[in-house]
Amino acid sequence: MFTPQNTTKRMKRTILLTLLSISTFTQGAFAQQDSIMLDKIYHESFYNGQAYDNLHHLTKKIGHRIAGSPRADKAVAWSKSIMEELPFDRVYLQDVKVPYWDRGPQEKAYLVGSNEPLSVLALGGSVSTPAKGLVAEVIEVELLSDLKKYGDQVRGKIVFINKPWDESIVETGVAYGLNSSQRSRGPAEAAKLGAVAYLFRSLSSSKTDDYPHTGGTGYVKGIDSIPAMAISATSAIKLSNALKANLHTKVYLEQHAAWKGIVHTHNVIAEWKGQQSPDKIITIGGHIDSWDVGEGAHDNGTGTMGTLDAIRTLMALGYQPKHTIRLVFYMNEENGVHGASAYGQIAKDKQEQIIAAIESDAGGFAPRGFDIKASADRVAWIQQHWKPLFDQKFWVSRFLQGSPGVDSGVWGKHFPNTVMFNFRPDPHRYFDLHHTAKDVFEAVDKRELQSGVAAIASLLYLVDQQIDQL
Ligand SMILES: [Zn+2]
């Protein structure tokens, strides 16, 4: 039946439907525009990417670079120089003070009697053995908590933690996390019971790996500091078998590591000024320091050279950012995180508006996606609007709520509302190389690296364009 009321209703519905279809059409048009931009980004990265060549320089001409070392300073100066070659508005160094730990001459370890060598590396931050080394019997356990039952028998012995890696976990970072706390708090726990040294089975995803994996450890005030070393997975198996054959097997350990005091060093920062909201900042980057073995290629040469190249890619395409994009190469992620602390403190004091962060510190393997530190609603929005641009065409499909990277996590304490993205490449091989002499340039695949650069550049573009809609 025709009534004026029905006409009004009908008109309202028509207007609503028209608005909806305009909005769907506009969204579709934007999505199409974004899709075209992502195609261009991937094309630029695969054809003209510079991350791989820059990584070659960093790893082969500079090499590993623990914070406080002369090589770390060289990496800082060189990073600044390559940033200055790009059209950033500002490139500068930010002061950071770090404690410098030096490994000294190569460690030695063997089974006393057979002289069978054991592959070991001092854990970062460890004190040295006596200059002529030490010899002691060994107590083997899987867990630190198992030590209690040995009570007084631990006195004068080497505590050997032999907990194998859980190979069934695909998310290798989780397997790493299950064992890593025993690396950091073990020496103090063992020393409390009178142990003379600490041997820790390397955090490696392979049982056939004879490379020891270093990593940070620590001590507790008031408890003796004892030398702490990582032992390779195969040497751990060798030692365990020797102990099964003879419980009184003795081991010789020698290392000369020491703290060398406080050193003044830097974060390296470059800014590309936003055209619409220059005061709103998107921070992107990774740590420039590495452990003092191998070449720090996957950890974290790929993260630094990759994020730099992501910005270069957008620059090469003539892109003009809405917000200021700030690239940060953090110093000292590996043994103190002082670079990220300094960055956060300065940004907090200046009351900066950091609206988003992207970190790359999980290797340069084929990209799989991003973990996102944001509310569930925001993550759902990203899954709905951004994921379809990546997943089928570029094989990048992980957009899940999760933790930020270590550096973003540290400075992010001052910025609880910043949306943070943590780049996630394929995790399978990362912990075969992590913190070892095997983490070299040759372990990085150019195509995988540049595919990661394209994924990061695409995300950076979408964040810059659409963060205000989140
Ligand atoms: Zn790292």
Side-chain angles (χ1 to χ4, degrees), residues 351-386:
Q351 297 185 313
E352 288 183 341
Q353 290 184 67
I354 307 182
I355 54 170
I358 302 172
E359 182 168 337
S360 173
D361 182 21
F365 296 101
R368 294 286 178 249
F370 298 88
D371 284 351
I372 309 160
K373 184 191 157 278
S375 66
D377 283 356
R378 284 177 153 177
V379 174
W381 190 93
I382 290 166
Q383 285 169 345
Q384 190 192 336
H385 293 89
W386 294 353

Side-chain angles (χ1 to χ4, degrees), residues 163-222:
K163 185 169 191 297
W165 180 276
D166 186 340
E167 309 253 4
S168 67
I169 303 174
V170 171
E171 170 81 88
T172 50
V174 171
Y176 181 83
L178 285 176
N179 290 14
S180 61
S181 73
Q182 300 207 105
R183 187 185 72 204
S184 46
R185 59 191 176 88
E189 300 260 333
K192 229 191 287 177
L193 296 169
V196 293
Y198 188 72
L199 262 186
F200 177 72
R201 177 168 173 153
S202 289
L203 296 171
S204 168
S205 51
S206 166
K207 285 191 175 70
T208 56
D209 180 3
D210 198 26
Y211 283 79
H213 297 227
T214 191
T217 192
Y219 300 106
V220 173
K221 242 187 177 171

Side-chain angles (χ1 to χ4, degrees), residues 287 299 333-334 361:
H287 68 88
D299 189 11
E333 186 271 346
E334 296 291 9
D361 182 21

Side-chain angles (χ1 to χ4, degrees), residues 246-262:
N246 173 12
L247 200 59
H248 299 288
T249 298
K250 287 183 177 173
V251 165
Y252 174 84
L253 297 176
E254 182 189 327
Q255 69 179 44
H256 305 275
W259 287 102
K260 303 282 186 185
I262 302 293

